[in-house]
Amino acid sequence: MRTYSFLTVLFWSCMFHAVHTMPSQKRTNKHSLSERITGLSEYGGKTLHRTKRGWMWNQFFLLEEYTGPDTQYVGKLHTDQDKGDGNLKYILTGDGAGSLFIIDENTGDIHAAKKLDREEKSLYVLRAKAIDRKTGRQVEPESEFIIKIHDINDNEPKFTKDMYTASIPEMSGVGTSVIQVTATDADDANYGNSAKVVYSILQGQPYFSVDPETGIIKTALPDMSRENREQYQVVIQAKDMGGQMGGLSGTTTVNITLTDVNDNPPRFPQSTYQFSSHESAPPGTPLGRIKANDPDVGENAEIEYSISNGDGSDMFDIITDKDTQEGIITVKKHLDFENKMLYTLRVEATNTHPDPRFLQLGPFKDTALVKISVEDIDEPPVFSRPWYLIEVDEDAKEGSIIGQVVAQDPDITKNAIKYSVDRHTDLDRIFNIYSGNGSLFISKPLDREETPWHNITVIATEINNPKQSSQIPVFIRILDINDHAPEFAKYYETFVCENAKAGQLIQTVSAVDKDEPPRGHKFFFELVPEFAVHPNFSIVDNKDNTAGIMTRRNGYSRSKMSTYLLPIIIFDNDYPIQSSTGTLTIRVCACDSRGNMQSCNAEALLLPAGLSTGALVAILLCIIILLVLVVLFTALKRQRKKEPLIISKDDVRDNIVTYNDEGGGEEDTQAFDIGTLRNPEAREESKMRRDVIPETIFQIRRTAPLWENIDVQDFIHRRLKENDLDPAAPPYDSLATYAYEGNDSIANSLSSLESLTTEGNQDYDYLSDWGPRFKKLADMYGGEDSDRD
């Protein structure tokens, strides 16, 4: 290599020396034969002669990377004006002048002062001048020339990457492209073979090869298996000079990975597996794991397990663990050691993503035999049913057997069983059970209307092992019998208008029954035998569990009879037939022409005849005033006689409460019952309210005026005495005064205070019509001179 470079430098030095010595004479002669041009000069009539430029250069060539002891000679600048007497001076400017390139100003010789690198700069542009030392003028115009650096093979090929990474599926065919590598050479590709690169493989044979011109790496062996070898390291060399001896070279490393394909079926490592399970294992209990090996990876190694056949395919199941690719065998149904002690399964493992290219290698699945043995344990008793339903009539006698539950020990030992009722489900102890045979019987009477269903729990326990027990729900339905009579569906407020016509419907009644007959309710309505032919009302059965109450005559009078009682018998149709009697209260009311009720109050009819409203108002006011005075007098008298329980001048518990309410007029029947003062004995005999019509049938009787029997003073004294002797009476008296006369008085005010505001005299002649008790008032106000008096 070094010898070759030296010969090249020597060759080009000789060539440059010949170029700049021998041909210069020819060029000088050529220029000396140039034409002469004559003309006038600025100095008068002298004739001037101009010849063509006599520069002796155009382009120089120089080898790069010169390593000789002396500076490298580039070339010589020369002009025809140079006579060799030293009058001319050569000046060099441009790229690298004075630093890289040095010129001898006397001779024009140019030398390279430093080693040059073509890869850094391949050519330099310089300009040259020839100046007369004496005059300082240029003897020739400034000229430009080029120094071009000739390339030598001093750069080895370099790859674009120090290391390449590639992958290819396993089992690929020969010649399958893997990756392309690229190397570049900094030398001049247009000059010689310094930059011509050839690729070769140094490491990686016989598995891979490389195209010498393109650098494409390809597979060289068929059916390379990832399972045998996954990683390959290939070393590629790039050499310049077309790969000839003496060329420079570079290398790179390519790491090639074989990717997996599904070319391997799953295989069980053993043909038979053994597992065991307790017979009490609940469904879903895992029993064990099996695994089929697949050398593939990723989705190519995914396996699906299933039970293909066997006598336990309906008792067990197998699921796939996606993380470990294992098959988990689980219990599917409850096992019974006494029924079957050994099960055999055939389990199949299948690839979920088979590759059609490799199906010819064989089925991508495998099977194995799994044997599962069932272990016996002491189990609790088992009932013959999951639950029991028992129906019993509600009139069943105490001690009657209503049903039976049956349980037995499922184990081979067949231990004896005893039965009991969970009392938490039968707090009233209505039911009981025979411990030996499980027969249920009644301990108390039943009532379907109170509790139609009873839900109890029966416990079965092994006698030899009380810890082994089980429970079963028993639902007891109480069947209905006809032990309740029908009755009215609700309370009816019935009325009949005074102007009612015969045959008019006044009420529709219906019935309810607590019983529930299987064929549904059917009720019949009729009057009691005593009123089978009622003179006022009749009943019509509508045949739809309702009946209508009809009038039998025209017109009804509140004054004669304000209320009627109509007894009605209601029958049902079940066995035994039950009946009841309901009484319908019918009130007589005043109605309008359309039959709308206006008033059913009969109090107005009880008032005595011949007494006007004005007289009643006067009597009421007098009685109220008298009553208030008596109460005040009695209270003051008692206060003087009794010593207070607490003697203190600051005691404020004796209160006078003033309501400023004198009381209402004669229409205010709620505030005060004037009848009590008029007839004290009537107060004690009857406690009924005057605003409620009694439900009994009564006749309106004409009685003597109430005020003829009144002894108000005796009544008040008697009541005061009772309160004085009452030990429960409060110790403090409260005085209530009423200063409100009330409103709605028909006679208006009897006071004469407002009479002064009227313009004319007021007529009080009607006072004379009130009887002898008001004679004094009639004389005071009814006379002609009453106003003046």
Side-chain angles (χ1 to χ4, degrees):
M1 180 70 183
R2 294 168 61 183
T3 305
Y4 172 78
S5 301
F6 176 75
L7 292 176
T8 303
V9 172
L10 180 61
F11 169 77
W12 282 107
S13 298
C14 295
M15 289 295 296
F16 278 122
H17 185 267
V19 169
H20 292 291
T21 54
M22 295 178 61
S24 61
Q25 292 291 335
K26 294 181 181 180
R27 284 190 299 220
T28 303
N29 294 335
K30 180 180 178 180
H31 289 301
S32 63
L33 297 176
S34 58
E35 296 179 354
R36 293 186 177 183
I37 301 175
T38 60
L40 299 178
S41 67
E42 58 182 356
Y43 299 106
K46 293 183 178 181
T47 301
L48 300 177
H49 299 277
R50 183 176 68 86
T51 60
K52 288 187 178 180
R53 188 176 55 186
W55 290 104
M56 299 294 108
W57 66 84
N58 184 15
Q59 180 173 301
F60 295 109
F61 294 92
L62 185 63
L63 288 176
E64 65 171 338
E65 304 292 344
Y66 175 73
T67 57
D70 300 329
T71 58
Q72 185 178 186
Y73 179 73
V74 178
K76 184 180 181 66
L77 299 180
H78 184 72
T79 179
D80 293 342
Q81 301 297 325
D82 188 2
K83 304 302 183 180
D85 53 3
N87 289 332
L88 294 179
K89 180 174 69 172
Y90 294 95
I91 299 175
L92 186 66
T93 59
D95 294 340
S99 58
L100 295 179
F101 303 102
I102 301 174
I103 189 171
D104 188 337
E105 63 180 13
N106 294 321
T107 63
D109 294 326
I110 302 174
H111 292 81
K114 297 180 180 179
K115 180 174 64 173
L116 302 177
D117 188 357
R118 188 201 65 83
E119 285 71 35
E120 293 182 3
K121 193 173 180 65
S122 61
L123 59 87
Y124 297 87
V125 179
L126 295 99
R127 292 178 296 277
K129 297 179 183 178
I131 300 175
D132 192 333
R133 293 180 183 272
K134 295 180 180 180
T135 62
R137 292 194 309 168
Q138 295 185 16
V139 298
E140 292 286 353
E142 183 179 81
S143 180
E144 183 178 89
F145 67 95
I146 296 174
I147 298 177
K148 187 173 183 180
I149 309 301
H150 266 304
D151 181 47
I152 65 173
N153 191 18
D154 60 342
N155 291 279
E156 72 278 3
K158 293 184 178 181
F159 286 92
T160 55
K161 295 181 180 179
D162 294 336
M163 181 175 293
Y164 291 84
T165 302
S167 62
I168 186 174
E170 62 174 334
M171 309 298 290
S172 297
V174 177
T176 303
S177 297
V178 181
I179 193 174
Q180 183 179 15
V181 296
T182 303
T184 58
D185 196 321
D187 294 325
D188 191 357
N190 299 321
Y191 184 77
N193 293 329
S194 299
K196 186 177 182 181
V197 178
V198 176
Y199 300 95
S200 62
I201 185 168
L202 300 182
Q203 177 182 324
Q205 293 175 333
Y207 307 104
F208 300 96
S209 63
V210 65
D211 189 300
E213 294 183 358
T214 62
I216 298 176
I217 300 174
K218 302 178 181 180
T219 57
L221 284 180
D223 301 333
M224 287 191 294
S225 176
R226 184 200 64 83
E227 289 74 28
N228 295 333
R229 183 177 177 181
E230 185 176 4
Q231 299 288 339
Y232 293 87
Q233 191 175 71
V234 179
V235 179
I236 303 296
Q237 181 189 63
K239 190 175 183 180
D240 59 9
M241 298 299 294
Q244 298 178 5
M245 186 178 296
L248 304 179
S249 64
T251 60
T252 188
T253 301
V254 182
N255 292 324
I256 301 176
T257 302
L258 295 184
T259 59
D260 184 61
V261 296
N262 193 7
D263 59 339
N264 293 282
R267 290 290 180 263
F268 284 105
Q270 58 192 68
S271 60
T272 305
Y273 295 86
Q274 295 280 349
F275 298 102
S276 63
S277 172
H278 294 291
E279 63 176 335
S280 62
T285 302
L287 302 181
R289 293 170 175 256
I290 61 175
K291 188 177 190 308
N293 297 327
D294 191 336
D296 296 322
V297 295
E299 68 175 14
N300 297 322
E302 292 181 359
I303 301 174
E304 187 70 28
Y305 296 90
S306 61
I307 298 176
S308 58
N309 54 45
D311 57 1
S313 58
D314 58 338
M315 302 298 295
F316 302 93
D317 198 2
I318 186 169
I319 58 177
T320 303
D321 189 336
K322 298 299 183 181
D323 297 330
T324 63
Q325 297 302 316
E326 293 177 315
I328 306 174
I329 299 176
T330 61
V331 178
K332 187 177 181 180
K333 295 182 180 180
H334 286 286
L335 304 175
D336 187 2
F337 172 82
E338 290 72 25
N339 185 27
K340 191 175 181 60
M341 294 179 290
L342 181 64
Y343 294 91
T344 302
L345 307 174
R346 185 163 293 279
V347 178
E348 185 178 88
T350 308
N351 273 141
T352 57
H353 299 86
D355 194 330
R357 297 176 299 170
F358 306 104
L359 293 179
Q360 70 277 5
L361 299 179
F364 278 73
K365 61 182 179 180
D366 194 16
T367 59
L369 196 65
V370 178
K371 295 182 178 181
I372 303 174
S373 59
V374 181
E375 298 179 358
D376 185 28
I377 63 170
D378 191 4
E379 298 177 274
V382 177
F383 285 92
S384 59
R385 300 178 186 176
W387 49 272
Y388 289 87
L389 174 62
I390 298 175
E391 295 181 344
V392 57
D393 292 332
E394 64 175 325
D395 62 345
K397 304 299 181 181
E398 296 181 20
S400 301
I401 295 177
I402 61 175
Q404 184 182 18
V405 297
V406 179
Q408 63 179 0
D409 184 8
D411 299 320
I412 297 177
T413 57
K414 300 298 180 182
N415 293 325
I417 305 297
K418 66 176 181 179
Y419 303 90
S420 61
V421 175
D422 186 357
R423 290 306 172 188
H424 293 91
T425 61
D426 185 24
L427 298 177
D428 296 332
R429 296 182 175 269
I430 300 175
F431 303 96
N432 212 331
I433 190 169
Y434 290 109
S435 62
N437 59 9
S439 297
L440 286 164
F441 60 92
I442 303 172
S443 299
K444 293 183 179 180
L446 303 176
D447 186 358
R448 188 204 66 84
E449 286 70 32
E450 181 180 351
T451 307
W453 284 89
H454 294 271
N455 302 327
I456 66 174
T457 299
V458 175
I459 303 173
T461 307
E462 292 183 11
I463 296 178
N464 296 334
N465 187 6
K467 293 183 179 179
Q468 296 297 334
S469 64
S470 58
Q471 300 179 354
I472 197 73
V474 179
F475 307 105
I476 302 174
R477 181 183 180 184
I478 310 302
L479 299 179
D480 183 41
I481 63 171
N482 193 26
D483 58 344
H484 288 84
E487 57 187 12
F488 281 130
K490 63 178 182 178
Y491 173 75
Y492 293 98
E493 294 183 355
T494 307
F495 71 94
V496 61
C497 294
E498 289 183 311
N499 56 357
K501 304 297 183 181
Q504 182 176 342
L505 176 66
I506 62 173
Q507 181 69 59
T508 300
V509 295
S510 61
V512 293
D513 194 337
K514 294 181 180 180
D515 297 319
E516 291 183 0
R519 294 180 299 275
H521 289 292
K522 181 64 177 178
F523 301 122
F524 303 94
F525 303 86
E526 63 182 36
L527 296 178
V528 295
E530 293 81 0
F531 296 95
V533 181
H534 198 280
N536 298 307
F537 304 98
S538 64
I539 185 169
V540 178
D541 195 335
N542 297 326
K543 309 301 182 181
D544 60 353
N545 294 338
T546 63
I549 309 301
M550 312 292 292
T551 59
R552 297 195 63 183
R553 62 185 178 86
N554 296 328
Y556 295 85
S557 174
R558 285 183 296 166
S559 61
K560 295 181 179 180
M561 182 72 72
S562 63
T563 304
Y564 294 91
L565 298 179
L566 187 65
I568 299 174
I569 302 178
I570 308 173
F571 300 91
D572 59 16
N573 67 332
D574 204 359
Y575 181 81
I577 295 176
Q578 299 288 343
S579 65
S580 67
T581 301
T583 301
L584 190 67
T585 302
I586 304 174
R587 294 187 299 165
V588 180
C589 301
C591 304
D592 57 12
S593 59
R594 297 182 179 180
N596 298 322
M597 181 181 65
Q598 292 182 335
S599 173
C600 295
N601 192 353
E603 293 180 357
L605 300 177
L606 300 178
L607 296 177
L611 190 61
S612 64
T613 304
L616 292 177
V617 172
I619 293 172
L620 179 62
L621 290 178
C622 293
I623 293 174
I624 291 175
I625 295 172
L626 179 61
L627 179 62
V628 171
L629 293 176
V630 171
V631 171
L632 290 177
F633 175 77
T634 305
L636 293 176
K637 185 177 181 181
R638 289 183 60 190
Q639 186 175 7
R640 288 195 300 268
K641 290 181 179 180
K642 287 186 177 182
E643 291 292 334
L645 297 180
I646 300 176
I647 301 175
S648 174
K649 62 180 181 179
D650 298 326
D651 186 20
V652 294
R653 284 176 285 182
D654 294 333
N655 299 324
I656 296 178
V657 181
T658 300
Y659 295 95
N660 294 326
D661 187 1
E662 181 178 349
E666 73 275 12
E667 293 185 7
D668 188 0
T669 60
Q670 299 293 335
F672 188 79
D673 187 0
I674 191 63
T676 301
L677 295 180
R678 292 175 177 173
N679 191 359
E681 300 298 329
R683 175 63 178 169
E684 297 178 355
E685 293 175 0
S686 177
K687 306 294 183 180
M688 296 178 58
R689 292 175 53 188
R690 299 176 65 238
D691 58 339
V692 177
I693 299 176
E695 297 184 358
T696 60
I697 303 175
F698 61 92
Q699 296 289 340
I700 301 176
R701 295 176 297 175
R702 298 290 181 176
T703 60
L706 294 177
W707 58 81
E708 295 179 1
N709 298 325
I710 287 178
D711 191 354
V712 177
Q713 184 175 2
D714 291 343
F715 171 74
I716 292 176
H717 284 299
R718 191 187 342 167
R719 287 288 185 248
L720 290 176
K721 185 177 181 180
E722 290 177 359
N723 286 299
D724 292 338
L725 299 178
D726 187 4
Y732 307 112
D733 297 330
S734 297
L735 179 62
T737 62
Y738 301 87
Y740 178 72
E741 179 180 352
N743 52 11
D744 294 336
S745 176
I746 298 176
N748 296 322
S749 176
L750 299 179
S751 173
S752 61
L753 297 177
E754 296 180 357
S755 60
L756 298 177
T757 59
T758 59
E759 296 178 359
N761 295 330
Q762 189 172 356
D763 186 11
Y764 294 99
D765 293 338
Y766 65 90
L767 293 177
S768 59
D769 299 331
W770 284 10
R773 294 181 179 274
F774 296 90
K775 186 176 183 303
K776 183 63 175 176
L777 291 176
D779 295 336
M780 293 174 61
Y781 294 92
E784 296 179 356
D785 300 330
S786 59
D787 292 339
R788 293 191 300 270
D789 295 340

